[in-house]
Amino acid sequence: MPDTKTYNPYFIALSLLLLICVIINISLGSVSVPLKEIFKALTGNSVEKESWKHIIINYRIPKALTAVLVGSALSLSGLLMQTLFRNPLAGPFVLGISSGASLGVAVLIMGASFFGSLFSVSLIGSFGIAVAASLGSFLVLLAVLVVASKIRDTMALLIIGLMFGSITAAMVSVLAHFSNMEKLQQYIFWSFGSLGNLSWVQLSVFALLFITGIVLCIFSLKNLNSLLLGENYAQSLGMNIKRTRYIIILATSILAGSVTAFAGPIAFIGLAVPHLTKQIFNTNNHKILMPAVILYGSIIMLVCDTIAQLPNTEYSLPINAITSIIGAPVVIWLLVRKKKMVF
């Protein structure tokens, strides 16, 4: 297994690239701000126009940091799921976590048709949507943990997770069918995903959840490497399969669930970034792969967000569409070029 030092030049290059992407992401937007004024705002110096400082501090920096957290969390969740299920098609949302979050938001936005005044319009704010998405994710997580305690086959757990996703998606369809056009449009806009609606307070909560997920991942590093050898072999090495499975599911749920709660359902990143990373980091050692997918995911998310915001125009594109339109062809090209998937 290659030593960590072998990949140090890659980590340094990716870290520099990440820094450049953050600066480019902050410097571009619908309002043109000179680069030197960007650096003045970042270093705490006075900026020529107060409106520029407000845009940079309260909108662009939180959005760039959200992109970094979203890209990192989804990529890491994808790596955890692909290792746990030993399936290259597994992503962060295979356990139905995203669908649970979508159901929570759908009930909040479109539930008035069923529950009348129980759902006040005042609840449908950014924090209300985040809480509803978190509750939906949490309820699905509880159901998955109950199922995980009763079965031993990991592949059966994967299929059951997909079934949970189908059930919640069907419930969302029923709500959408009976909802009026205004509520349906509001839900569809949420499902496009957005990185630009978080305040500093919301970003702090998101960062706290992200750190919790990272800590759980660090505790699972050794066991993740053992799982690649098969559950029976890992068990023979003294690994507690059930406890490891719980920790991985919990970490994935916190990471992917918090992303859906604060930024909406975002496709492609969690599934594809681990594969893209393995094209450069030709190893299965999670001690190397974890920081690598975090860097890679952050960079790709920043690039997608920079494209989605259509710099120097007043228009923007759905981030969910950009991640798939830009990312999927890249993955296809890489896999065709390499002729096989590193897994």
Side-chain angles (χ1 to χ4, degrees), residues 137-147:
S137 301
F138 182 68
L139 290 175
V140 173
L141 167 66
L142 277 182
V144 170
L145 287 177
V146 169
V147 171

Side-chain angles (χ1 to χ4, degrees), residues 62-76 195 198 202-208 210-211 214 255 258-259 294 297-298 301-302:
K63 188 159 73 69
L65 293 177
T66 303
V68 169
L69 290 179
V70 167
S72 303
L74 289 179
S75 305
L76 197 49
L195 305 177
L198 267 65
Q202 290 170 312
L203 188 58
S204 302
V205 176
F206 187 10
L208 189 63
F210 176 76
I211 291 169
I214 292 289
L255 291 169
S258 59
V259 168
I294 286 174
S298 303
M301 201 68 217
L302 283 165

Side-chain angles (χ1 to χ4, degrees), residues 109-225:
I109 295 177
M110 301 186 288
S113 304
F114 286 88
F115 305 107
S117 59
L118 183 63
F119 291 91
S120 165
V121 175
S122 60
L123 287 175
I124 311 177
S126 54
F127 246 125
I129 287 176
V131 170
S134 302
L135 279 174
S137 301
F138 182 68
L139 290 175
V140 173
L141 167 66
L142 277 182
V144 170
L145 287 177
V146 169
V147 171
S149 67
K150 296 186 182 301
I151 61 172
R152 299 184 63 183
D153 188 355
T154 304
M155 291 308 294
L157 180 61
L158 172 63
I159 295 169
I160 290 170
L162 292 172
M163 294 303 105
F164 273 123
S166 298
I167 293 168
T168 51
M171 293 171 75
V172 171
S173 298
V174 171
L175 285 170
H177 180 75
F178 289 102
S179 181
N180 60 44
M181 285 300 293
E182 184 189 351
K183 299 296 181 187
L184 186 59
Q185 191 179 41
Q186 194 174 355
Y187 176 75
I188 290 173
F189 273 122
W190 173 81
S191 68
F192 286 160
S194 174
L195 305 177
N197 295 327
L198 267 65
S199 65
W200 280 105
V201 175
Q202 290 170 312
L203 188 58
S204 302
V205 176
F206 187 10
L208 189 63
L209 291 169
F210 176 76
I211 291 169
T212 306
I214 292 289
V215 170
L216 289 172
C217 291
I218 291 171
F219 276 119
S220 308
L221 266 177
K222 186 178 176 184
N223 291 338
L224 284 165
N225 286 338

